[in-house]
Amino acid sequence: MKALRIKWQYAVIALLAVSAAAFGLLRPQLLPTASSTKQKLSATDRIRQNPPPTLFTDAEITTIGKQAAAQREKADALFAQWKKAHGTTRDDKAFAAWAARQIPAPPTAKDRTAELHQVQALAKTRTAAGKKAATWLELNGKKDVWKLYLHDQRELIPARQGTTEKAELKAALKLAKTVSDQLAARDKQPAPFVLDPSLRPEKHIQPGAKGPYSYPSRHATRAAAAVTFLGALSPHRAEDYRWMQDEVLYSRLYMAGHVSSDLTAGTLLGDLIGDYELTVGGH
C-alpha cells in the first residue's frame, strides 16, 4: 500500500510548492497584509497555514478501512436500484429520502455499549502525537482535505471542467451534511463522549445531556461522498483518497467522537451520495 500511495504530508508540500511557484506566493510583495487576512481563506490557504502533522500508521487504520470498503460494495448494489428507477434525473429531495431509508437502524443498546467499551479501551492508548493527528483530521477532514485534493486535479484540466467538478463536489458535501444531520436528529444516538464525558472532558458535557448525536457520522458521510466522487474522476489517485478517508474515520474513534456503527452507517450513506452526484452530474 505504501508503495502505491504518496503520503499526505508530502502530497500537500508538493501541491503548495507548485501553487507557490504558479501564483508567486513566495514573493514578498504578495504575502498577506493586515487587510487581506480579513478575507475568507480557501481550503488550500487554511491547510497551508496549518499543515498536517504525522498521521496514523497503516496498521492502526487497517480495520476501519476494511469496514469502509465493505460499505462501498453495499452502496454500489443499492444505488443500482435507484438508478434503474430514476435514471440520471436530479431530484435531491427524493434521493435524500430514499438514501435515508437505506441506512440500517442504530445498534441495540447492548451492541452500542460494547462499541463504547472499544472506544474507551482505545482512549487509554492515546498519545500526544495521536491527539495532534486526530485534532488535525477532525478539523480538516470535514471538507478542506477533499477540496484540496480536487484543487490538485483541477490544475491539469480545462477551467470550465474544473469549475463544474468543484460545484459537484460542493453539492455532494452539502447533501452529505444535510442527510446525516437529519438522521442523527431522528435516531438520537448520543456520541461516546456524551455517554462517558471522561473521554473528552474539554467538551464540558453537562450531566444528563442527550446530544450531540452521532449516528451516522457526518465526517464519515462527507468523506465517503468525496472519495467516491474524486476516485471516479481520478482512478489512479483512488488509493490516496481511500487512505485519507481511513485516517479521518480512525480519528473519530480515537477521540471518541463516534463508535464503529456510526462510521459504517455514515460511510454507506456517503457512498450512496457520491454515486448519486456522479450520475446526475454527468460523469
Side-chain angles (χ1 to χ4, degrees):
M1 182 175 180
K2 289 182 179 179
L4 297 174
R5 188 191 65 227
I6 300 174
K7 284 292 189 181
W8 170 252
Q9 296 95 314
Y10 302 117
V12 169
I13 292 170
L15 174 58
L16 294 177
V18 171
S19 299
F23 299 107
L25 292 177
L26 299 182
R27 299 177 186 174
Q29 65 269 30
L30 294 182
L31 290 175
T33 63
S35 59
S36 66
T37 55
K38 295 180 181 179
Q39 299 176 355
K40 184 177 181 181
L41 297 176
S42 68
T44 302
D45 291 334
R46 285 191 292 271
I47 291 180
R48 179 171 176 261
Q49 291 186 356
N50 179 27
T54 299
L55 301 183
F56 297 106
T57 66
D58 289 349
E60 289 173 302
I61 66 177
T62 292
T63 298
I64 195 64
K66 290 179 178 178
Q67 293 173 357
Q71 301 308 308
R72 282 192 290 272
E73 295 178 6
K74 187 184 302 184
D76 288 345
L78 286 170
F79 185 75
Q81 300 173 18
W82 167 270
K83 187 174 181 180
K84 183 178 180 179
H86 299 270
T88 60
T89 302
R90 178 181 285 278
D91 187 342
D92 290 0
K93 184 176 181 180
F95 173 77
W98 174 85
R101 293 194 298 270
Q102 311 313 307
I103 307 307
T108 65
K110 180 180 179 180
D111 289 341
R112 196 163 181 86
T113 297
E115 289 185 311
L116 175 62
H117 290 164
Q118 293 173 351
V119 171
Q120 289 169 326
L122 181 60
K124 294 178 181 179
T125 71
R126 288 177 189 163
T127 63
K131 290 179 180 179
K132 188 175 182 180
T135 298
W136 190 91
L137 288 160
E138 182 174 355
L139 175 64
N140 295 283
K142 297 175 182 178
K143 294 185 294 185
D144 284 353
V145 291
W146 312 117
K147 290 181 177 180
L148 185 56
Y149 273 132
L150 182 62
H151 180 279
D152 191 10
Q153 292 186 16
R154 290 174 63 203
E155 294 298 306
L156 303 175
I157 60 177
R160 180 176 296 181
Q161 180 183 345
T163 298
T164 298
E165 292 175 356
K166 180 180 179 181
E168 291 172 351
L169 176 61
K170 182 178 180 180
L173 292 172
K174 181 179 179 180
L175 188 58
K177 178 182 184 300
T178 297
V179 183
S180 61
D181 286 356
Q182 289 173 348
L183 286 173
R186 182 194 72 184
D187 292 328
K188 293 182 170 56
Q189 297 295 301
F193 64 79
V194 175
L195 297 173
D196 180 358
S198 70
L199 292 170
R200 295 289 296 271
E202 77 280 8
K203 294 288 189 179
H204 305 293
I205 300 299
Q206 298 300 315
K210 301 298 182 182
Y213 302 124
S214 66
Y215 184 93
S217 163
R218 184 194 299 171
H219 273 80
T221 306
R222 280 177 157 173
V227 168
T228 298
F229 181 78
L230 293 171
L233 300 186
S234 187
H236 67 287
R237 294 289 304 280
E239 191 69 17
D240 292 350
Y241 306 146
R242 287 193 289 268
W243 167 74
M244 177 53 71
Q245 177 185 18
D246 297 346
E247 288 280 348
V248 172
L249 296 182
Y250 184 76
S251 74
R252 308 306 292 134
L253 289 174
Y254 192 84
M255 293 304 291
H258 294 282
V259 294
S260 294
S261 60
D262 298 337
L263 299 173
T264 54
T267 300
L268 176 60
L269 177 58
D271 286 333
L272 289 171
I273 291 170
D275 283 341
Y276 171 73
E277 190 59 45
L278 287 168
T279 299
V280 301
H283 287 90

